[in-house]
Amino acid sequence: LAKTTQPISMDSYEGQEVNITCSHNNIATNDYITWYQQFPSQGPRFIIQGYKTKVTNEVASLFIPADRKSSTLSLPRVSLSDTAVYYCLVGDRFSGGYGGSQGNLIFGKGTKLSVKP
Amino acid sequence: GAGVSQSPSNKVTEKGKDVELRCDPISGHTALYWYRQRLGQGLEFLIYFQGNSAPDKSGLPSDRFSAERTGESVSTLTIQRTQQEDSAVYLCASTERGSYNEQFFGPGTRLTVL
């Protein structure tokens, strides 16, 4: 089970780019890296997933170095509405999910991002 | 299409009472998960259904907790003789069989035990 470590909180201002780094030193060969976003009073929402190098979608980019021992979620030009908790998860997407034997997701405490005007 | 829905959105109950929480997954999603989230914490896995069966119930915190799923759709999480430590947000998620990449979460039920 690959454990993840990410900052507890981050502050930013509107219009800035935010980078949240997650460490996963014991990531396994078959593991993928996935990020979820959770707004207050809502369930988590899938943002992005990747295996190596760079992945980009309409919401964010995910940068993964060659050794895959860390990953960085990049949010371009954040707005107040990006204030949320961001969770980094690592696990095998084929054999049973993110560390959980039943395909369940294993969430840490995440990074609380606060965007200020 | 419709997402995962949960009811009630809020439930306040007295210690010792039983509560039932309901989850309606996305149509066609055979896998369904229940999680619990205490204030300021990450999510704690409770139970998983593949179809109508729950292969492993070891994630349930005590024998006061039970869950069932009927017709490969609606699931109910029941907490008997509620305690104050049961106060939390209970989240349900569903996903297609074999697709562990993305779980779709409902808005949760906030349970407060007085």
Side-chain angles (χ1 to χ4, degrees):
Chain A
L1 172 59
K3 182 180 176 180
T4 61
T5 303
Q6 51 183 126
I8 294 174
S9 64
M10 293 182 69
D11 291 332
S12 182
Y13 291 93
E14 282 191 293
Q16 289 186 333
E17 178 184 78
V18 171
N19 296 307
I20 306 174
T21 297
C22 179
S23 297
H24 28 80
N25 290 321
N26 59 341
I27 189 169
T29 302
N30 291 336
D31 286 345
Y32 278 68
I33 300 153
T34 306
W35 288 79
Y36 275 75
Q37 173 191 55
Q38 186 177 25
F39 297 114
S41 302
Q42 294 186 25
R45 180 177 75 111
F46 174 93
I47 300 178
I48 197 167
Q49 182 184 74
Y51 183 80
K52 62 179 180 181
T53 64
K54 176 184 175 181
V55 179
T56 297
N57 62 22
E58 65 278 4
V59 176
S61 293
L62 179 60
F63 297 92
I64 305 168
D67 66 6
R68 304 201 324 121
K69 293 183 182 300
S70 67
S71 58
T72 299
L73 176 73
S74 181
L75 305 172
R77 298 179 298 282
V78 294
S79 65
L80 295 176
S81 62
D82 292 315
T83 293
V85 178
Y86 293 82
Y87 297 95
C88 167
L89 291 82
V90 173
D92 187 334
R93 60 186 273 188
F94 297 114
S95 72
Y98 297 86
S101 62
Q102 302 177 67
N104 52 293
L105 301 176
I106 297 180
F107 289 78
K109 294 186 179 181
T111 297
K112 185 176 182 180
L113 173 65
S114 298
V115 180
K116 303 174 183 178
Chain B
V4 177
S5 61
Q6 292 185 245
S7 61
S9 55
N10 280 285
K11 177 71 176 178
V12 180
T13 190
E14 294 180 347
K15 178 181 174 181
K17 302 278 189 181
D18 298 351
V19 295
E20 262 189 14
L21 312 180
R22 176 188 168 110
C23 172
D24 284 88
I26 292 173
S27 178
H29 281 189
T30 58
L32 185 148
Y33 299 82
W34 282 98
Y35 297 87
R36 177 170 69 178
Q37 186 172 32
R38 292 198 165 102
L39 186 64
Q41 303 297 312
L43 279 70
E44 174 188 1
F45 167 68
L46 298 179
I47 192 169
Y48 154 68
F49 286 92
Q50 180 56 51
N52 292 339
S53 66
D56 185 346
K57 301 181 180 180
S58 61
L60 295 175
S62 78
D63 58 8
R64 297 186 294 105
F65 287 72
S66 63
E68 64 177 19
R69 187 179 185 195
T70 56
E72 291 199 353
S73 57
V74 173
S75 177
T76 302
L77 177 69
T78 301
I79 308 173
Q80 295 179 309
R81 305 181 302 282
T82 53
Q83 304 294 313
Q84 289 184 331
E85 62 263 27
D86 299 333
S87 295
V89 175
Y90 290 83
L91 290 156
C92 171
S94 72
T95 189
E96 295 174 348
R97 179 183 176 88
S99 174
Y100 298 109
N101 307 331
E102 179 176 357
Q103 292 190 8
F104 295 84
F105 284 81
T109 294
R110 180 174 298 277
L111 174 65
T112 302
V113 182
L114 301 176

